[in-house]
Amino acid sequence: MADDEQDAPALGVDTTKPSVARVYDYMLGGKDNFEIDREVAQMALRIAPDAPQAARSNRDFLARVVRDLVVEAGIRQFLDIGSGLPTQGNVHEIAQAAAPGCRVVYVDHDPIVLVHGRALLAVDDSTTVIEADIRRPDDVLDHPETRQLLDLDEPVGLLLFGILHHLSDEEDPAGIAARLVGRLAPGSHVAVSHFHNPMEEHPEVSRQAFEAERLFNDTMGTGRWRTREEILGFFDGLELLEPGLVPLAEWRPEPGYRPALGITYHTFLGGVGRKP
């Protein structure tokens, strides 16, 4: 990405500061990252050598959720907040493979994500990417492109993958999630993946989670590895689908799948809730 790194300042990108989206891209084996992102990723790998596996598990979880919502729940429109850089198996590709015509709005505030996302979606009029911040949920839902593509009077698949743990407690992530859900129609589904600290249930893993949280806050801003009870709070008022809030690999896996139980296995949970 040498050329992109040289051109980045013209896009308003500070290449001296790491980006969550670009570090995640590196963990997935992507090329849309800068030297500072790779340095931070390497520090994370010293704490959790299986971090790339966790990143891939999150993408696999996303794919299973989207397919399930299209096929089993009949969802035909998705709002993916904190979508990150385009990679193999994007939401619109998965959804439209299951049901042509599904509509998707991607939301992010990283300039690099917007540039790459718009290039990818240039010929797709059923999908768009917008610049907005989850901390201002009404800006997301009232954005002209959101309103153009999504009908909020019909069920929506709200995807909050790996984003709520970037909000500090002071920013009230549970309140933000509730405001988003409050404006969605009954029958909408909300999917969440979130960093998890298992505390006394897995003391060694808990120590690793605290160390990862310290590194994250020292290098990339805010990150919170929350307890199971805290993460369940994001599903208040929703009907939690089976199998509940579980390690990502345990959410409706493919038959015969046997996940590797690495360091990050218990530090990344996911679940899906339905709005009654």
Side-chain angles (χ1 to χ4, degrees):
M1 199 177 179
D3 292 340
D4 285 351
E5 190 152 2
Q6 292 174 0
D7 296 338
L11 300 172
V13 178
D14 186 348
T15 60
T16 68
K17 294 182 179 179
S19 154
V20 172
R22 297 193 306 266
V23 171
Y24 185 57
D25 174 73
Y26 176 81
M27 292 294 189
L28 286 169
K31 301 182 185 302
D32 295 322
N33 47 76
F34 300 148
E35 181 61 31
I36 187 64
D37 305 308
R38 295 187 285 274
E39 289 175 4
V40 170
Q42 289 301 321
M43 287 189 283
L45 288 169
R46 285 195 285 273
I47 297 172
D50 64 337
Q53 179 181 317
R56 173 48 56 194
S57 184
N58 191 46
R59 293 300 299 185
D60 292 345
F61 171 57
L62 178 147
R64 297 195 304 277
V65 166
V66 171
R67 280 194 298 268
D68 190 86
L69 293 186
V70 172
V71 174
E72 302 297 331
I75 299 294
R76 294 296 182 268
Q77 50 182 1
F78 291 87
L79 181 61
D80 183 3
I81 304 182
S83 54
L85 284 157
T87 187
Q88 186 176 9
N90 295 292
V91 172
H92 70 284
E93 295 168 331
I94 299 163
Q96 292 170 3
C102 284
R103 305 181 305 282
V104 180
V105 173
Y106 294 104
V107 183
D108 212 297
H109 61 87
D110 186 315
I112 293 293
V113 171
L114 299 172
V115 169
H116 284 263
R118 286 169 181 159
L120 174 70
L121 302 172
V123 296
D124 189 341
D125 59 6
S126 64
T127 309
T128 191
V129 55
I130 67 170
E131 182 176 8
D133 193 319
I134 190 174
R135 289 168 289 196
R136 294 186 289 276
D138 288 335
D139 289 356
V140 174
L141 295 173
D142 293 330
H143 192 285
E145 292 184 54
T146 302
R147 300 310 297 265
Q148 180 181 347
L149 270 186
L150 305 185
D151 180 357
L152 299 185
D153 293 326
E154 295 293 329
V156 172
L158 174 60
L159 309 179
L160 301 173
F161 286 87
I163 186 169
L164 294 173
H165 53 228
H166 296 310
L167 301 179
S168 67
D169 294 342
E170 292 73 20
E171 291 171 310
D172 188 20
I176 290 170
R179 290 202 296 278
L180 287 165
V181 173
R183 291 192 53 187
L184 301 182
S188 293
H189 288 65
V190 182
V192 174
S193 66
H194 196 293
F195 290 154
H196 171 236
N197 189 324
M199 305 302 281
E200 64 275 2
E201 184 179 356
H202 296 283
E204 185 61 34
V205 175
S206 178
R207 285 191 287 273
Q208 181 267 340
F210 278 122
E211 180 61 17
E213 183 173 290
R214 182 199 62 75
L215 171 65
F216 202 100
N217 284 276
D218 285 348
T219 58
M220 286 192 291
T222 302
R224 279 279 280 113
W225 273 244
R226 293 187 167 94
T227 65
R228 178 180 180 81
E229 290 69 27
E230 289 174 313
I231 301 170
L232 282 171
F234 298 127
F235 296 97
D236 283 352
L238 302 175
E239 300 169 349
L240 195 60
L241 303 188
E242 292 294 335
L245 182 65
V246 294
L248 301 183
E250 294 183 15
W251 198 90
R252 304 186 180 183
E254 301 295 335
Y257 177 68
R258 296 289 182 271
L261 302 182
I263 294 173
T264 63
Y265 182 78
H266 293 288
T267 60
F268 215 165
L269 301 185
V272 179
R274 180 185 181 278
K275 183 175 179 178

